[in-house]
Amino acid sequence: MPTTVRRRRGQPWVYGVLAGGLVVLVGPFVWMLLGSVKPDAEIRRRPPTWLPEAPTLDNYRHLFTELDFPAFFLNSVLVAGAVTVGNLVFCSMLGYALAKLEFPGRRVVFALVLGMLMVPGMVTFVPLFMLVSRLGLVDSYAGLILPWLASPFGVFLMRQFITGLPDDLIQAARVDGAGELRIFARVVLPLCGPALATLGILTFLSSWNNFLWPLVVAQSEDRYTLPVALALYAIGENNTRYGLLMAGSVAVIVPVLLVFVALQRHFVRGIATTGLK
C-alpha cells in the first residue's frame, strides 16, 4: 500500500485525537467564561447547565465595587512588571557573562545555576521569607519584587541563546574599542529578541499568577495582588462565591492572553531556537 494512502487513512484519527485534546484544554476556560455570567444558584445547580439560562453581569459588577479591583489590579501590574523587567535585565546580563566572557569559576557558576533549577521552590520558601523579614521588607513592594528579580531558568535560557550568537560580532566590537557593557547593550541585546520575548512571557505569567508568596508577604490590603484579593474575598469559611471567583479569574487571565498574543511570534521562535544552535 502506498505511503500516501496510509497517511490519508490515518489522518482522521490524528485529527480526532487533536480535537479531543483541544476540547480538554479549552473546555475549562469556556466553562469559566460562561460561569462568570451565571448567578450562584445556577452554578450550584445539579445537574449543571452548560449555557446560562439568565445571563447577568452582577458578578463583574461586584468585582469592581466590592473588591476595589483597580487598586489590586495596579498592584499586580506593578509587581509583575517590575519582576519581568528585572529578569530581562539581570538574566540577560548573567547569561551574556556565562556565554561569552572568560573568568575564573565560570563553569562552577553555571553548574550552580543548573543545580538551582533542580531545587523545588518550596524548599527555599521559608528561608527566603525569613531573610525578607529580617530585612524589614514584609508588607512592602520591595518584599514582593526583590526576591524574584532573577531566576535560574532565566539565566539558563539566556545563556543558551547567547551561546549561539556569532563570536565575530563581539570580537569586532572589542576591536573597535567598545566596552563589555556597550557590547551587551548595542550588539547582544538587539539579537536576543526571541529569547527575551520568551523569558518575558514566562516571567510575567509566573509573577502575575503567583499566589502563595504575596499571600504571606502582603499583610495589608494596600499590598494585595489580584489573585490574593480574589481568593480572600470570594472564598469564605462557609460559602464560596463561585460567580465572583469565575469573573475574577477571567479578569486575571485576560492580561496574560493579551501579552501572549502580542509576543506570540517571538515566543515560538525563542522556544524553537534556544539551545539548538
Side-chain angles (χ1 to χ4, degrees), residues 135-185:
L135 294 175
L137 300 179
V138 175
D139 198 25
S140 66
Y141 290 116
L144 293 171
I145 295 171
L146 289 179
W148 314 108
L149 286 181
S151 66
F153 173 77
V155 175
F156 174 76
L157 178 71
M158 296 306 301
R159 186 262 182 190
Q160 293 301 102
F161 188 89
I162 295 174
T163 299
L165 298 181
D167 293 333
D168 295 340
L169 294 176
I170 298 175
Q171 293 298 335
R174 289 171 179 166
V175 171
D176 291 339
E180 295 300 334
L181 185 59
R182 186 175 182 182
I183 293 174
F184 170 75

Side-chain angles (χ1 to χ4, degrees), residues 1-15:
M1 183 180 295
T3 305
T4 56
V5 175
R6 290 198 300 267
R7 288 179 179 177
R8 290 178 180 177
R9 291 183 177 180
Q11 283 180 353
W13 295 97
V14 174
Y15 292 148

Side-chain angles (χ1 to χ4, degrees), residues 247-258:
S249 299
V250 172
V252 170
I253 290 176
V254 167
V256 177
L257 292 178
L258 294 177

Side-chain angles (χ1 to χ4, degrees), residues 2 8 25 37 39 42 46 60 82 95 98 105 119 129 131 135 146 158 160 165 176 188 191 198 209 220 242 267:
R8 290 178 180 177
L25 180 64
V37 294
E42 185 177 351
R46 296 292 183 273
Y60 291 96
L98 292 175
V119 177
F129 176 76
L131 177 61
L135 294 175
L146 289 179
M158 296 306 301
Q160 293 301 102
L165 298 181
D176 291 339
V188 176
L191 299 176
T198 302
N209 293 329
S220 64
Y242 292 105
F267 175 77

Side-chain angles (χ1 to χ4, degrees), residues 87-89 92 157-158 161 189-190 192-201 263:
N87 274 264
L88 293 179
V89 174
S92 57
L157 178 71
M158 296 306 301
F161 188 89
L189 276 186
C192 294
L196 290 173
T198 302
L199 179 60
I201 290 176
L263 301 176

Side-chain angles (χ1 to χ4, degrees), residues 89-114:
V89 174
F90 296 122
C91 291
S92 57
M93 293 177 69
L94 291 170
Y96 170 69
L98 292 175
K100 298 299 183 181
L101 300 183
E102 294 290 341
F103 58 90
R106 186 179 70 165
R107 293 185 178 181
V108 176
V109 174
F110 184 60
L112 291 175
V113 172
L114 293 179

